[in-house]
Amino acid sequence: MTIRDLGYSPGQLPTGPKNSILDVKGVRVGQVTVGNDGDDVHNGVTVILPRSPDEIHIPCYAGMHTLNGNGEVSGSYQIKDWGFGTVFQSIWEWTLKQARDNGSSLETISHNYGTPVVGETADWFLNDVYNSALKAESVHQAFANAMTQEEILEGQHGGGAGMTCHMFPGGTGTSSRVVKRSGDVIYTVGVIVQSNYGHTYNMQVGSVPIGKLILKEKGTPWRKEKVAGKADDGSIVIYLITEAPMLPHQLIRLARHCAVGLAQVGGHGVGSNHSGDIILALSTANKPEERVMTPGVNGIGPIEDNGIEIIRNESIDTMFKAASEVTEEAILNSMIAGREGGKDGV
């Protein structure tokens, strides 16, 4: 079940066929869930491949926006420390294996590598934080699942397992929008979120303060003192992928507008001090060839360029609306789906 099944359709733009990030051509997603609701540990991993495995070495232009930075997306700045736990290491191993299986030499790999990007949300409320059940095998299985998985499991599945959103079960959510270019060309904008943030009194749906109404119905005062902290405020990671040809400066702007969609659900409560609200937007349209074959002398060589496409800035507003709409809907979908296999809210 999704938010549309309950009668609310965020925004104006049409969705893709699946209303999922999988509507973006070439994108693959694999999920593995560890444990069940009620266990000491109920978490998982979600692997997102923006390109098909045989093109995974081709870079994508990307941009990031951080509403509040009390979280982590490793690899976003080609981080100095390469040892970021089980997930990071396992992605790097998988990437190297793909290159080796394709017959790539070490010299070629040294040009066509990229630092894995790994995001996290802290499942402090529903899990034993002293016991991590994720193993390298879980990540390897998520990659295997990405080769065949045709639908994204929303709510308490994959990396979304064990997450809460506005004090209700949350987790994985996805949505897509289709935008038109001149002529018959269309671009898809897809988002996948991992929601684990927010208080009930800030929750709203279609500008209606649903959270406050729920608390009022239950006789629970929404104006009350609380001791805030990371476990209380949580975090959310938002990944947007589009086929529209955009460069990093445009993708940074696009990522900012995902935060508009986040605020449509979380109201004034998003981006609090202890929250990690981190957004990554990337474009799969251009396939830049970054390797330079002409050797330089003493570090000086000829300049080479890439032939790329880019949308016009004066037409970017439709992309901004798409980013906001898909983010809002993906978050709401994570909560609707989270009711199945999640713990009771409030």
Side-chain angles (χ1 to χ4, degrees), residues 67-151:
L67 188 61
N68 195 71
N70 197 345
E72 177 62 33
V73 174
S74 72
S76 54
Y77 301 101
Q78 296 285 303
I79 62 170
K80 297 178 181 179
D81 184 358
W82 285 67
F84 190 75
T86 300
V87 177
F88 185 96
Q89 182 63 28
S90 298
I91 293 176
W92 184 236
E93 290 172 355
W94 183 88
T95 304
L96 290 175
K97 183 178 184 302
Q98 297 303 303
R100 184 177 59 207
D101 291 348
N102 290 333
S104 298
S105 66
L106 183 61
E107 194 264 344
T108 298
I109 294 172
S110 71
H111 287 274
N112 294 338
Y113 80 95
T115 304
V117 177
V118 183
E120 57 79 31
T121 51
D123 49 5
W124 293 42
F125 268 135
L126 302 184
N127 276 317
D128 177 2
V129 297
Y130 299 102
N131 180 15
S132 174
L134 281 182
K135 308 296 181 185
E137 292 76 15
S138 301
V139 184
H140 296 159
Q141 185 59 52
F143 273 111
N145 292 348
M147 301 303 107
T148 59
Q149 190 169 326
E150 296 183 354
E151 302 288 343

Side-chain angles (χ1 to χ4, degrees), residues 30-79:
Q31 296 167 282
V32 166
T33 306
V34 178
N36 298 293
D37 184 40
D39 294 346
D40 288 341
V41 174
H42 183 208
N43 56 25
V45 60
T46 300
V47 166
I48 306 165
L49 301 178
R51 301 193 191 278
S52 61
D54 58 341
E55 292 186 329
I56 202 65
H57 64 283
I58 300 175
C60 295
Y61 291 121
M64 288 190 68
H65 174 64
T66 302
L67 188 61
N68 195 71
N70 197 345
E72 177 62 33
V73 174
S74 72
S76 54
Y77 301 101
Q78 296 285 303
I79 62 170

Side-chain angles (χ1 to χ4, degrees), residues 273-331:
N273 179 64
H274 285 284
S275 181
D277 317 271
I278 304 176
I279 306 161
L280 172 66
L282 59 88
S283 168
T284 60
N286 290 295
K287 296 183 178 180
E289 174 55 66
E290 295 297 336
R291 187 173 182 180
V292 175
M293 302 302 294
T294 305
V297 178
N298 295 327
I300 304 297
I303 299 298
E304 300 184 18
D305 57 28
N306 268 314
I308 60 172
E309 293 184 337
I310 178 175
I311 68 171
R312 295 178 181 175
N313 277 326
E314 289 201 1
S315 69
I316 203 171
D317 281 347
T318 303
M319 296 296 294
F320 289 163
K321 290 181 183 294
S324 174
E325 290 182 14
V326 288
T327 303
E328 177 188 4
E329 185 162 356
I331 295 169

